[in-house]
Amino acid sequence: EMDKTLLLMELHDVLIKQRLRLRAEVYVDILATAFSALTGPEHYTSNNRNRITLLDELWVMYQYCIDSGSDPLPKLIQNMMRILSLCRKADMNVETKAHRLMLDSDRFKLIPTNMCLSTYFVVCGINNAMHLAVARYVDSKSRFEVIPTADMITNIIDGFRKNGRNDDGIRFLATVSNLPVTSPLLSVIIHTARGSSNPLSAFTFYKALRQTDMKPDGRVINSLLQAQETANDYSNSKFILSEMMRHRVRLETDPLNRMLIALERAGLHTEFGKLFVTMRRHGKTIYLERFGPEALKVATDLENRMREGEESRKLRSSRSASGPGRESRAETMRWKEPEAGGP
């Protein structure tokens, strides 16, 4: 795809020199190919080009489309916006181009696609321009009656979070209604609430959204654990453990140890012991230096009782297995004896 993109760019340079014009649909396909090349497994560059250089050259291509007299299409603006979003560091040049795309959309009286808006919000988040993201969101709803998607809301809230404005993200969420909850949206809501001025609000949102049958992932569970740590309130530890077990969420070593710490500080030594033993049996590393002697004693005693119980069951099982076998052989012998002594 990258070789194809570079070839198309070279041909377009010839086209510019000859002052030829292409239909906007052709540029839609060219930019779609470029996006695939920049995001595919072979997103290398050549001919002394790096990714920023390619973005600039593709922008020249987009601009030539308009300057040569071809009105842009919503999908053309969408594809150019997706290419700009690939720059994952704050860049004033990229941000300016993204705003220009939205102004072009207004200028040519186009309704931006949902993907275009969602991607624009990503660029705004990277460049700390959330005021413009929210303004465009409100304008699209009122002027074009655009129905917000989960991706749009996810990107706006995450943009606030990335710029340390978690409370603003939560306030924005309060304005949203009747929106299907997706796994990324649930994750970003809990993650944002955890870092807000009221970390325990993460549990309020989670308990409200869990009615949607959305299953939490490891990031959500970890965010709930971190919310407790930030607030120094471990009263929800048992709830987190039950959710983790009910949805069979697999956690990495660090979150599992964070779960153990929460159970210990909540005084749930029985639950602590059970999780401790389970982690031991699955070969998970336990940060023993982080726990008090009382909790470790409960866990060790439980582990010993379980080991003794298993050994006892094995012993009873071996006895029951050998017992019926001897009785069976004796019965067989008694059954055969009359036949041997018969006439």
Side-chain angles (χ1 to χ4, degrees), residues 25-79:
E25 290 84 357
V26 176
Y27 287 98
V28 171
D29 293 338
I30 292 174
L31 293 184
T33 300
F35 180 80
S36 297
L38 289 168
T39 56
E42 297 179 355
H43 54 279
Y44 62 90
T45 57
S46 59
N47 298 335
N48 297 320
R49 288 181 171 99
N50 56 34
R51 177 170 283 189
I52 298 299
T53 303
L54 279 172
L55 293 183
D56 288 337
E57 291 183 20
L58 292 169
W59 177 260
V60 169
M61 188 181 292
Y62 163 80
Q63 199 61 53
Y64 181 80
C65 169
I66 297 176
D67 294 343
S68 64
S70 297
D71 290 351
L73 299 171
K75 202 164 185 181
L76 175 61
I77 294 178
Q78 167 193 293
N79 289 350

Side-chain angles (χ1 to χ4, degrees), residues 35 38 51-52 55 81-95 122-127:
F35 180 80
L38 289 168
R51 177 170 283 189
I52 298 299
L55 293 183
M81 188 71 77
R82 294 176 75 197
I83 290 172
L84 292 178
S85 72
L86 296 177
C87 182
R88 293 298 179 178
K89 294 182 179 180
D91 187 310
M92 185 177 294
N93 186 38
V94 171
E95 181 192 350
V122 171
V123 178
C124 288
I126 294 171
N127 292 277

Side-chain angles (χ1 to χ4, degrees), residues 93 133 190 217 236 246 319:
N93 186 38
I190 303 303
D217 57 14
N236 286 288
R246 184 163 74 95
R319 286 177 178 175

Side-chain angles (χ1 to χ4, degrees), residues 19 43 46 221 256 298 313:
R19 299 183 180 180
H43 54 279
S46 59
I221 297 297
L256 281 171
V298 170
R313 283 193 296 273

Side-chain angles (χ1 to χ4, degrees), residues 107-123:
R107 172 186 166 195
F108 290 96
K109 299 180 180 180
L110 302 174
I111 300 177
T113 66
N114 288 344
M115 182 179 290
C116 179
L117 288 170
S118 182
T119 310
Y120 174 66
F121 300 150
V122 171
V123 178

